[in-house]
Amino acid sequence: MSGIVLLILRMLLSATLYAFLGWALYTLWASLRQQALAVSNQKIPSLTLTSTDELAEEYYYIQAVVNVGRGTTNDLTINNDTVSSHHARLAYNLNQWWLQDLNSTNGTYINGQRLLTSTVLTTGDLIGFGEINMTVTIGSSSQFGT
């Protein structure tokens, strides 16, 4: 008789363990799903770069990464000999726009200072790619009315 009771207790213990593991996995899955939805619904503020030359060209971006350089594969192609093929990267990360130099030959500048490490951008910053200067506007653009 005690053998049957032990068998039943073992089966109940196993069922309880599997139920707990199932509940834990479901809770983890639900949490990850909620975080994924929150990230996918997160709005990236627009980034507008306006050249400071006489043409004052405006470049508007709503994607999370903007690659800048002379090469045609970049999001912002600048046809100037002082700009490297893959010069710099602007990336939206941790709810902020960041500027990173990609080991360019003539350097990337922010407000007149050479960029040595990734730096947070704010509206009104003057960034330079070689000899080309642009001002930064985050979150709005007069051309698109946002």
Side-chain angles (χ1 to χ4, degrees):
M1 183 76 156
S2 64
I4 294 175
V5 172
L6 281 177
L7 179 63
I8 291 172
L9 287 175
R10 285 182 187 171
M11 292 175 76
L12 286 174
L13 184 60
S14 295
T16 304
L17 179 62
Y18 282 115
F20 174 75
L21 288 175
W23 172 78
L25 289 175
Y26 175 77
T27 303
L28 286 172
W29 174 80
S31 176
L32 287 174
R33 184 171 175 234
Q34 184 179 11
Q35 287 178 358
L37 286 173
V39 168
S40 68
N41 290 334
Q42 181 182 16
K43 293 245 182 202
I44 298 172
S46 63
L47 176 71
T48 305
L49 301 174
T50 306
S51 63
T52 59
D53 61 8
E54 60 277 354
L55 296 177
E57 295 178 281
E58 195 172 84
Y59 305 95
Y60 180 80
Y61 300 96
I62 55 172
Q63 69 237 35
V65 176
V66 177
N67 290 307
V68 180
R70 197 173 62 234
T72 58
T73 59
N74 292 296
D75 301 302
L76 174 56
T77 303
I78 301 174
N79 192 12
N80 184 292
D81 291 336
T82 63
V83 177
S84 298
S85 295
H86 299 285
H87 197 95
R89 175 175 296 129
L90 297 115
Y92 187 73
N93 191 17
L94 302 173
N95 295 322
Q96 296 176 318
W97 277 101
W98 293 77
L99 176 62
Q100 174 188 12
D101 183 69
L102 299 177
N103 297 320
S104 61
T105 303
N106 293 311
T108 301
Y109 295 84
I110 181 165
N111 299 322
Q113 300 293 317
R114 186 160 185 154
L115 193 67
L116 300 175
T117 185
S118 294
T119 303
V120 174
L121 290 174
T122 59
T123 295
D125 282 342
L126 179 66
I127 56 177
F129 308 110
E131 294 176 350
I132 305 301
N133 293 313
M134 298 186 164
T135 56
V136 175
T137 305
I138 297 173
S140 66
S141 172
S142 58
Q143 179 181 358
F144 293 93
T146 58

